[in-house]
Amino acid sequence: MKRYLIKILLFIGLPILVLLAVYYITDPFKTLRPFSLQYFDDTNRDYLSTELFLRNDSVYHYNSFIFGSSRCCGFNTYHWKHYLPEGSRQFMFQAWGETLTGIEQKIDYIDHNGNEIKNALVLFDIPGTFAKEQLPKSVVKIKDYKFSGQSKLAYHSNLFYQFSQKPSKWISSVIQFSSHTTKEFPVDSVSNDWGTKMKNIDISRQPKKDSLSNCTAKSKTIFLKQIEHKTDDDILESEPLINEEFYKQLTHIKDVFDKHHTDYRIVISPAYCYTHPTINADDLTILQEIFGKDKVFNYSGKNDMTTDCYSYSDPNHFGLSVGWHIIEDIYNKQ
């Protein structure tokens, strides 16, 4: 009987130990070794942004921040800086699938860290920003334990569990580790902008239709298929999203901004209007009451930015030309 139990334990435990060893040695998500900007699949942007901030802040003393989801890739902080006071030091503090809770946690962390928040641009997605926080089922959305309140052990246990569910990842991590094939992750090492040469882009020469025309043939085909035969009848208003809990979080963010005398802008992000709802009218009123009508800019629904499919790489993500237009619009209106 004892031998039988030992065999069972070995049968169950040995594969787990081997997988743990592979995970520890290869460090597939680059979270176990000293942080570096190396490329890896299933990138956790929350972790990458956090570690880049912690590594650089003692040098650059950031005081101007953009908060939001992957849609922030349509913004360029070096263009944003043209509209900020002298001495502003900008950082793109984004995370894939960012929620209001994640935004609040980052703002609190910066506040408690002793940084000034002189300028802030906060991007709200409809409905994604107001999703209920839950344990992510995807590596790309796992929150850094420094913000989430989760223990370090629980954080890495969650990562390992996600790793264990992807046999293809086991193989690719071993191949990458054994062949020493790494390359720099495509973010600016100072500002955290998406794309390592964002500061050198000539805005005046950027094509107006810059996204769908440059995306992969597969992505383009999928997108165009999604938007076939869409009409104005398909443009819907979101259900009310701001409940009592979200209201408290929003007012807390406003309190922190007031504490720092922050010059902020709240942007309701554009998305292709025939596949995404516009913000609920009551929710928009609440945001305007909390942050001020002159600080809230709504680009959801049908407008010049949301009807041109060529300004998007997919129905969710707008291109740089749209981001530049938004920045110029929200600061020139003041």
Side-chain angles (χ1 to χ4, degrees):
M1 184 66 178
K2 185 182 291 185
R3 285 186 178 180
Y4 178 76
L5 288 174
I6 291 174
K7 286 181 180 180
I8 293 294
L9 288 173
L10 287 174
F11 180 78
I12 297 174
L14 191 58
I16 295 176
L17 289 174
V18 171
L19 199 56
L20 274 169
V22 171
Y23 181 81
Y24 179 78
I25 293 170
T26 63
D27 189 12
F29 306 123
K30 301 300 182 287
T31 56
L32 300 173
R33 308 282 186 273
F35 171 72
S36 62
L37 280 176
Q38 292 179 320
Y39 176 82
F40 49 96
D41 294 330
D42 291 328
T43 305
N44 187 324
R45 190 79 161 107
D46 195 288
Y47 178 84
L48 179 66
S49 295
T50 303
E51 295 304 311
L52 193 61
F53 172 78
L54 294 175
R55 185 178 75 177
N56 287 343
D57 186 53
S58 61
V59 177
Y60 297 103
H61 305 291
Y62 299 112
N63 59 22
S64 302
F65 303 89
I66 295 179
F67 301 97
S69 69
S70 56
R71 295 189 195 181
C72 287
C73 290
F75 289 123
N76 177 348
T77 68
Y78 291 98
H79 177 51
W80 184 44
K81 190 173 184 178
H82 293 314
Y83 295 88
L84 304 181
E86 186 176 350
S88 298
R89 296 173 294 278
Q90 73 278 10
F91 186 79
M92 177 78 72
F93 221 145
Q94 70 174 154
W96 301 153
E98 185 68 290
T99 61
L100 181 62
T101 299
I103 292 171
E104 181 189 33
Q105 288 170 345
K106 290 175 178 61
I107 291 172
D108 275 343
Y109 187 89
I110 293 168
D111 177 37
H112 296 152
N113 194 55
N115 289 72
E116 292 181 284
I117 309 178
K118 286 189 173 182
N119 307 283
L121 195 163
V122 186
L123 193 67
F124 288 164
D125 302 339
I126 303 300
T129 297
F130 299 98
K132 185 177 180 180
E133 200 73 15
Q134 55 188 351
L135 192 64
K137 296 181 179 180
S138 169
V139 168
V140 300
K141 295 182 179 181
I142 295 176
K143 297 296 181 186
D144 194 301
Y145 63 89
K146 299 178 187 69
F147 298 143
S148 67
Q150 189 181 40
S151 71
K152 188 174 182 179
L153 177 60
Y155 171 78
H156 284 289
S157 296
N158 193 9
L159 282 176
F160 175 72
Y161 173 77
Q162 302 299 335
F163 174 74
S164 71
Q165 302 301 299
K166 294 185 176 181
S168 60
K169 187 64 179 174
W170 313 345
I171 298 171
S172 64
S173 62
V174 171
I175 292 174
Q176 186 181 41
F177 178 78
S178 60
S179 60
H180 303 288
T181 54
T182 58
K183 55 183 177 180
E184 189 174 12
F185 193 75
V187 298
D188 185 284
S189 60
V190 176
S191 70
N192 199 30
D193 276 287
W194 185 256
T196 55
K197 297 181 180 180
M198 293 289 279
K199 68 178 74 176
N200 299 319
I201 291 178
D202 185 345
I203 298 169
S204 63
R205 295 185 179 183
Q206 184 69 10
K208 182 178 181 181
K209 297 181 178 182
D210 63 339
S211 285
L212 185 59
S213 56
N214 293 327
C215 71
T216 65
K218 182 179 179 181
S219 297
K220 183 175 181 179
T221 300
I222 293 172
F223 186 11
L224 292 176
K225 189 173 182 179
Q226 286 178 307
I227 64 178
E228 284 179 349
H229 311 302
K230 296 291 184 180
T231 68
D232 286 356
D233 291 335
D234 296 300
I235 302 176
L236 304 176
E237 181 177 298
S238 169
E239 295 295 322
L241 298 171
I242 301 177
N243 57 25
E244 184 176 352
E245 179 182 357
F246 290 142
Y247 186 87
K248 289 179 180 178
Q249 290 178 301
L250 290 166
T251 53
H252 175 66
I253 289 172
K254 175 61 163 56
D255 289 342
V256 176
F257 285 166
D258 286 346
K259 171 185 174 182
H260 287 263
H261 306 288
T262 306
D263 182 13
Y264 60 84
R265 304 289 188 278
I266 307 298
V267 172
I268 315 303
S269 68
Y272 191 66
C273 68
Y274 296 114
T275 57
H276 287 72
T278 184
I279 187 172
N280 179 272
D282 291 337
D283 286 344
L284 180 60
T285 299
I286 291 172
L287 291 174
Q288 291 172 336
E289 288 175 350
I290 294 173
F291 293 102
K293 278 190 176 182
D294 60 330
K295 298 294 186 181
V296 177
F297 299 85
N298 176 27
Y299 296 100
S300 67
K302 186 179 179 181
N303 54 63
D304 290 343
M305 294 184 201
T306 61
T307 53
D308 182 2
C309 67
Y310 287 91
S311 292
Y312 295 81
S313 57
D314 58 58
N316 294 301
H317 299 100
F318 55 86
L320 287 171
S321 62
V322 173
W324 290 331
H325 182 84
I326 289 173
I327 288 176
E328 290 169 353
D329 191 43
I330 64 181
Y331 284 93
N332 287 331
K333 281 185 177 179
Q334 300 301 303

